[in-house]
Amino acid sequence: MDAMTSTTATADPVEFYGTKVNSRLLLGTAQYPSPAILAEAIRASAAEIVTVSLRRESGVAKSGQSFWQLIRDLGVKVLPNTAGCKTVKEAVTTAEMARELFDTPWIKLEVIGEDDTLQPDVFGLVEAAKILVRDGFQVFPYTTEDLIVADKLIAAGCEVLMPWGAPIGSGRGLNNPYGLRSMRAHFPRIPLVVDAGVGVPSHAAAAMELGYDAVLLNTAVAKAGDPVKMARAFALAIEAGREGFRADPMEARDMAAPSTPVMGQAHFG
Amino acid sequence: MKIVVNGEAAEIRAATLAGLIAELGYADAVVATALNGAMVRKAKRDATPIADGDRVEILAPMQGG
């Protein structure tokens, strides 16, 4: 964090279900070249929340146990996901198992509708969110930028929304800036996190400049040539984008407007 | 008896889910369990009998995005 603490930045925490964190980068833990690089990337990102999943444990390797020890040693908060779940029942059961395993009411709720785009099945998502909120979960729904779905998720009790930037792992950036801007305008007080599709730091900065509260990403860091350097680059971009948003950017215009004073210009003709 | 553990056929001796977890070497591991599609809490594993043909899922923390 020390490298990121500039003289102008002021304390600017973001709050999810009553928990305040200072980093607006939520980092995924999958696909890193090695556990050591994962740990170093998390430290370089200054992320305080990382996403995790649960999968079948292997009898011999028990790789899940060493991974869990690594995460606990880093002292970060975990946001378990229901990645890969395609039905409400799968997602709800996975969430219940995650709650016991990770000892947290937080769940990144994914109900996937289609394999090529990994697009959320928003009908199943709303249904699963209702069940989980009633059961005491604090749901972080992976959704689209659809405003009506967002309304229904909020009515279900979701206090955070996580619209996609682009399909998971695609690195395309913000496919629909208008839709994301519209969502921000419609829900000014709900924490909004761009989740998925971010490829390079400028994509994350753009999300923050739209007024988004945070960015969740994984592949862009894990699959970079140097994941640790990229983790730090994203942290800087997200801080820059956030500061830019808070600084109230100028309006864009179509024509040039001289920035150097016209008054007092010499005439040599 | 013959059951299915994490999608693979297994021949086991344990009579309860807790016994199965120990038999498979997961006694000290952080795992969550499900029996025939429904989650079984850690506290309930002792009192959960296993029957021939049951499907057991044993899940652990894993990397995720």
Side-chain angles (χ1 to χ4, degrees):
Chain A
M1 193 64 199
D2 51 330
M4 241 95 58
T5 308
S6 71
T7 51
T8 52
T10 52
D12 178 32
V14 59
E15 192 169 326
F16 301 118
Y17 290 100
T19 297
K20 284 184 183 172
V21 291
N22 291 308
S23 170
R24 290 168 179 270
L25 169 55
L26 285 67
L27 192 60
T29 57
Q31 305 184 77
Y32 289 80
S34 71
I37 291 175
L38 164 63
E40 211 181 327
I42 292 174
R43 278 192 287 266
S45 75
E48 294 164 61
I49 299 171
V50 300
T51 53
V52 293
S53 72
L54 58 170
R55 288 288 183 263
R56 288 169 167 173
E57 181 65 300
S58 65
V60 183
K62 294 193 178 64
S63 58
Q65 306 305 311
S66 52
F67 167 70
W68 185 221
Q69 189 58 50
L70 180 153
I71 295 298
R72 278 188 294 193
D73 288 347
L74 286 166
V76 287
K77 296 173 177 59
V78 294
L79 173 59
N81 69 27
T82 63
C85 292
K86 291 187 170 169
T87 67
V88 172
K89 181 180 186 297
E90 278 178 354
V92 168
T93 304
T94 302
E96 287 170 349
M97 295 177 83
R99 178 164 62 179
E100 183 176 79
L101 203 58
F102 298 107
D103 195 24
T104 174
W106 284 9
I107 191 75
K108 174 183 163 180
L109 181 60
E110 294 184 35
V111 183
I112 298 299
E114 204 268 326
D115 279 337
D116 286 333
T117 59
L118 297 177
Q119 177 159 348
D121 168 0
V122 293
F123 303 98
L125 181 69
V126 171
E127 195 183 334
K130 283 181 188 167
I131 294 168
L132 292 171
V133 169
R134 270 202 306 269
D135 196 20
F137 281 89
Q138 295 173 339
V139 177
F140 295 61
Y142 169 60
T143 186
T144 66
E145 63 275 46
D146 189 290
L147 300 179
I148 312 308
V149 172
D151 262 335
K152 291 186 187 302
L153 288 168
I154 291 167
C158 295
E159 296 178 17
V160 179
L161 297 175
M162 304 209 296
W164 63 348
I168 294 171
S170 70
R172 296 178 56 83
L174 308 183
N175 266 354
N176 184 4
Y178 166 77
L180 293 172
R181 186 181 295 117
S182 178
M183 197 171 189
R184 179 71 285 177
H186 270 76
F187 305 105
R189 273 175 283 280
I190 296 280
L192 297 179
V193 181
V194 164
D195 176 9
V198 167
V200 290
S202 57
H203 295 155
M208 299 307 294
E209 287 168 8
L210 288 176
Y212 273 67
D213 293 281
V215 177
L216 195 167
L217 56 95
N218 186 157
T219 312
V221 167
K223 291 295 189 186
D226 184 340
V228 176
K229 196 181 280 292
M230 190 59 87
R232 182 173 142 70
F234 269 105
L236 292 167
I238 287 168
E239 187 183 351
R242 174 66 184 172
E243 284 291 282
F245 171 73
R246 293 174 82 200
D248 189 13
M250 65 171 278
E251 293 291 330
R253 48 184 289 161
D254 288 333
M255 305 302 285
S259 50
T260 303
V262 176
M263 185 88 86
Q265 185 171 2
H267 288 267
F268 300 114
Chain B
M1 75 186 105
K2 288 188 170 65
I3 64 168
V4 177
V5 179
N6 285 351
E8 292 187 6
E11 178 80 40
I12 60 139
R13 290 185 300 277
T16 65
L17 189 54
L20 173 67
I21 296 298
E23 185 177 332
L24 295 176
Y26 297 124
D28 298 324
V30 177
V31 292
T33 50
L35 177 63
N36 298 323
M39 179 193 178
V40 179
R41 293 184 189 291
K42 188 175 182 183
K44 296 267 177 73
R45 286 178 199 154
D46 259 332
T48 302
I50 302 283
D52 210 48
D54 275 348
R55 289 174 297 111
V56 175
E57 292 284 337
I58 302 171
L59 305 187
M62 210 59 70
Q63 295 85 349

